[in-house]
Amino acid sequence: MPKEILVNVEAAETRAAVIEDGVLVDFLVERAGHQRHVGNIYKGRVENVLPGMEAAFIDIGLEKNAFLYAGDVIVSPDEREFDDMPHEKARSIRDLVREGQEIIVQVAKEPIGTKGPRVVTHITLPGKYVVLMPTVDYIGVSRRIPDEEERARLKAIAHSIKPKRMGLIVRTAAESRDEKDLIQELHFLIKLWRRIQSRSRRAKAPCLLHQDYDLIYRIIRDLFSENADTLIIDNAAEYGKAIELLRILSPHRAGRVKLYHNDGISLFEAYGIENEVDKALRRKVWLDCGGYLIFDQTEALLSIDVNTGRYIGSSNLADTVLKTNLEAATEIAHQLRLRNAGGIIIIDFIDMDSEEDRKKVLQRLEDALRADKTKTSILGFTQLGLIEMTRKKTRPSLQDILERACPYCDGRGRVLSEETIALRAEREIKRVARSTKKPAMLIEVHPTVASLLIGTGGANLARVEQETGKFIYVKGSIDMHVEDIDIAFVGTKEEVEARAIPVKAGDVIDVEIEEPHASNPRDGICRLEGYIVDVEGGGALVGSTARVEITRVFRTYARARLIDSAIGSGSDANGVYA
């Protein structure tokens, strides 16, 4: 299928979009303020050895110590892409490392949330065609090369060029390549490893020995393969670097790199990437048939719910459910790759009575996931009819990179209702009333909460005043969060009133009519510091500025009459005229 890679380069970040058959399938971001660690090689110091966890914490010079699991001391590369590698007999972490020991490690997983990076002692230096493994003696060929004759040819080449006591894996991109291409790259990787060893002998732990290359280099090395039609870059300097790099690595592909220049529209806008990324962050994803998916992320797992939505089918219920589930399986595989979701994943497909239909849906999901290079394992349907699967997690998800937990709802995705906050405000008023002898108080809340606290015709407020024996002034502030409650001032009635009511009868002011009155659309509503002004006859002037005279002032609102409804927008909306 046609494949394009788009790279948008800006001062603060570089973004890459991978498009297959016109569909965005992967999105990568590298920001100047957020250093990438996966692939970096460090000389670290063992800080703690924890036999109960069969792990050790390694100081590699980052904010959080790295986590080294006993199995990762001899871990193999990604078992999804390459042939199985021999594993040594498992040993205790105390047999492998000791506190204070200096050790060379490579970051396998980025620090995510409260967890530090995960590291391994099995070093891998990836190139375009081969991966050098200087710490293990092994030869392997990518499983993604299906032709057995080609696999045998590449394995023979690997045997003939492999350095002694080192390992070599032939990558998918090496298919049909000449031996000289593999030798040229191998020589580069061997020199790189020798430089790393030299730095390690001179440096004191903790320190960085080797930093993996930037995003554009990794794209050319890992993504810009033979089946990629074009690589489009919108920055002239980075375009030049890419051309020079390809002249060294793969000269025949340099002609497929294009420089994008269009002052009228950006590269990502031209391809609709911005909109697709926004969709990938949404909780609800619509299917073409009219059904939809719901994605809910928790600390432990990602749950995906499939719904028929607007799709009613054309024949029978079983057929409707099957078609929705089949389309959902394809879209789920796409979304997992695009969102870079990882960890435990639970999928709740619409219930199917037929075992044959369940097999079809499971097969569709497996087929759709084959395009995903990240290791996935499908465990099948559980007794509750849910599909349980895992996807390897090596870097933060798209959501983790582009979003943060809501500071208002603390990541819950929900807030307390206005009615709940209004009732809490009542209790807070009563609590303060019991603790003070002052006769009046001013409470500030969000306008939607203020309207409930006051009640129709001020009935609720009158009840609270009767129960507390205090004069209560309520101020609605649009700048306040809906869950916030602020007892702004407690004092005499005159002091509180001066703070709560910004106008007096006879004042002439300029106001902006914000909305029509809820029960009398002929009138318009404006707000002064959260205080409501009901403008008689102002309903037709919503969005306009008008000069009004305050006619009557009440504790929760004021009434006004129009003087001039076309004074423009240059006057001070809070100016008081004598």
Side-chain angles (χ1 to χ4, degrees), residues 260 262 265-273:
Y260 179 84
N262 185 339
I265 184 171
S266 70
L267 174 61
F268 276 20
E269 288 175 337
Y271 280 80
I273 302 300

Side-chain angles (χ1 to χ4, degrees), residues 98-260:
R98 65 184 185 279
E99 290 187 6
Q101 176 185 349
E102 293 188 347
I103 185 172
I104 296 177
V105 294
Q106 186 171 32
V107 176
K109 290 185 180 181
E110 293 283 2
I112 299 175
T114 59
K115 299 178 182 178
R118 184 167 176 173
V119 295
V120 298
T121 60
H122 184 90
I123 308 301
T124 58
L125 298 175
K128 180 67 181 175
Y129 303 122
V130 297
V131 177
L132 177 65
M133 301 179 297
T135 58
V136 64
D137 192 350
Y138 172 77
I139 288 178
V141 178
S142 170
R143 291 178 178 178
R144 294 181 179 272
I145 300 176
D147 185 84
E148 290 300 326
E149 290 187 8
E150 178 64 9
R151 290 172 60 83
R153 182 186 76 88
L154 292 172
K155 198 163 190 175
I157 292 175
H159 272 289
S160 66
I161 66 175
K162 183 186 79 68
K164 291 182 178 180
R165 294 183 297 279
M166 291 189 184
L168 197 66
I169 289 179
V170 182
R171 305 189 72 180
T172 309
E175 189 174 7
S176 302
R177 305 307 306 173
D178 295 333
E179 181 177 345
K180 64 179 181 179
D181 294 328
L182 276 64
I183 293 175
Q184 180 181 6
E185 186 172 75
L186 179 60
H187 286 167
F188 168 77
L189 296 175
I190 292 172
K191 289 180 182 178
L192 175 60
W193 174 238
R194 288 173 179 167
R195 287 200 299 269
I196 293 170
Q197 288 180 304
S198 177
R199 290 172 188 164
S200 177
R201 286 191 290 267
R202 299 192 308 267
K204 184 178 180 180
C207 66
L208 174 67
L209 300 178
H210 168 70
Q211 184 168 5
D212 199 17
Y213 301 102
D214 62 19
L215 181 59
I216 292 182
Y217 180 96
R218 298 197 308 273
I219 288 170
I220 291 173
R221 182 188 69 192
D222 301 331
L223 299 178
F224 190 45
S225 55
E226 297 300 329
N227 62 346
D229 296 307
T230 53
L231 170 61
I232 305 175
I233 305 175
D234 64 2
N235 180 279
E238 295 299 332
Y239 165 78
K241 291 179 184 177
I243 292 294
E244 290 300 318
L245 182 60
L246 280 168
R247 285 173 179 165
I248 298 172
L249 297 178
S250 302
H252 63 285
R253 287 184 293 142
R256 284 185 272 156
V257 182
K258 309 296 181 184
L259 176 63
Y260 179 84

Side-chain angles (χ1 to χ4, degrees), residues 414-544:
R414 301 176 68 86
V415 295
L416 295 172
S417 68
E418 290 85 351
E419 184 178 15
T420 299
I421 300 303
L423 293 171
R424 283 190 178 183
E426 279 193 29
R427 290 191 288 270
E428 181 66 8
I429 290 170
K430 293 174 183 178
R431 184 193 66 80
V432 174
R434 289 192 298 267
S435 64
T436 182
K437 294 182 180 179
K438 298 288 185 180
M441 67 177 70
L442 171 62
I443 181 169
E444 191 170 355
V445 291
H446 190 273
T448 57
V449 176
S451 63
L452 291 174
L453 185 58
I454 293 168
T456 305
N460 287 349
L461 187 59
R463 175 180 53 79
V464 175
E465 286 185 325
Q466 184 177 11
E467 292 175 357
T468 61
K470 306 290 185 183
F471 293 101
I472 311 297
Y473 291 79
V474 179
K475 186 176 183 179
S477 174
I478 194 67
D479 294 327
M480 290 191 68
H481 184 264
V482 69
E483 292 185 346
D484 288 344
I485 301 168
D486 181 23
I487 304 296
F489 186 75
V490 177
T492 66
K493 181 181 178 182
E494 291 74 18
E495 289 173 334
V496 173
E497 190 171 281
R499 292 172 177 263
I501 303 176
V503 294
K504 61 181 182 297
D507 286 347
V508 176
I509 59 175
D510 295 340
V511 297
E512 181 179 349
I513 310 296
E514 299 177 13
E515 59 191 69
H517 192 285
S519 58
N520 182 12
R522 180 179 174 277
D523 290 354
I525 295 296
C526 63
R527 292 178 177 85
L528 302 174
E529 302 173 14
Y531 182 74
I532 294 176
V533 178
D534 181 355
V535 180
E536 185 179 357
L541 301 176
V542 173
S544 302

